[in-house]
Amino acid sequence: MNALIINCSPVRTGATAEIVKIVAQKLSEKYETKCICIDDYHFSFCKGCRTCHNTAECIQKDDIPSIMNEFERADVPGQFKAFIDRCTPWCTHTSPMRRSAAEKEDMS
């Protein structure tokens, strides 16, 4: 099994980096592991153009394809896939789920 561990912190020597190192060491006892630091890649926020809905490709030319190549080599457990699928209601700006989350924040 191949595991991809992504450090999503921009601080490459901080606590998150240490946690990633510990997780990688532990996982490497049973799996092939690869660690990447998100800060090594250049990419921007989604522009919301929805071109990818028709072409399956983003119009932005950046490092996202490189990250996805690493992700595609990893084995994704079914539970993670189920979690990602369930996130869909929060992924669009017109989502009632997203609006209700924003309303909860406004009440705080």
Side-chain angles (χ1 to χ4, degrees):
M1 184 167 174
N2 296 313
L4 176 64
I5 304 151
I6 304 174
N7 176 356
C8 292
S9 172
V11 182
R12 81 180 47 259
T13 58
T16 302
E18 284 302 311
I19 292 167
V20 165
K21 193 184 304 180
I22 292 166
V23 169
Q25 287 172 345
K26 191 66 176 166
L27 286 177
S28 68
E29 294 171 8
K30 291 177 109 176
Y31 308 108
E32 292 293 320
T33 60
K34 174 146 190 188
C35 294
I36 64 172
C37 182
I38 204 83
D39 202 44
D40 291 338
Y41 299 87
H42 170 74
F43 58 93
S44 303
F45 292 104
C46 175
K47 298 188 181 298
C49 69
R50 296 184 179 209
T51 299
C52 62
H53 290 225
N54 297 319
T55 65
E57 289 184 31
C58 183
I59 62 168
Q60 299 186 79
K61 303 302 175 206
D62 56 20
D63 291 337
I64 291 293
S66 297
I67 297 171
M68 292 310 298
N69 284 338
E70 296 296 343
F71 185 77
E72 287 174 351
R73 285 189 204 114
D75 295 307
V76 179
Q79 281 300 98
F80 182 69
K81 171 75 169 85
F83 169 73
I84 294 298
D85 289 347
R86 292 293 305 273
C87 290
T88 301
W90 285 272
C91 294
T92 173
H93 71 285
T94 59
S95 167
M97 298 295 278
R98 190 161 175 195
R99 283 197 303 270
S100 64
E103 289 167 4
K104 287 178 189 174
E105 286 177 15
D106 289 341
M107 292 180 182
S108 305

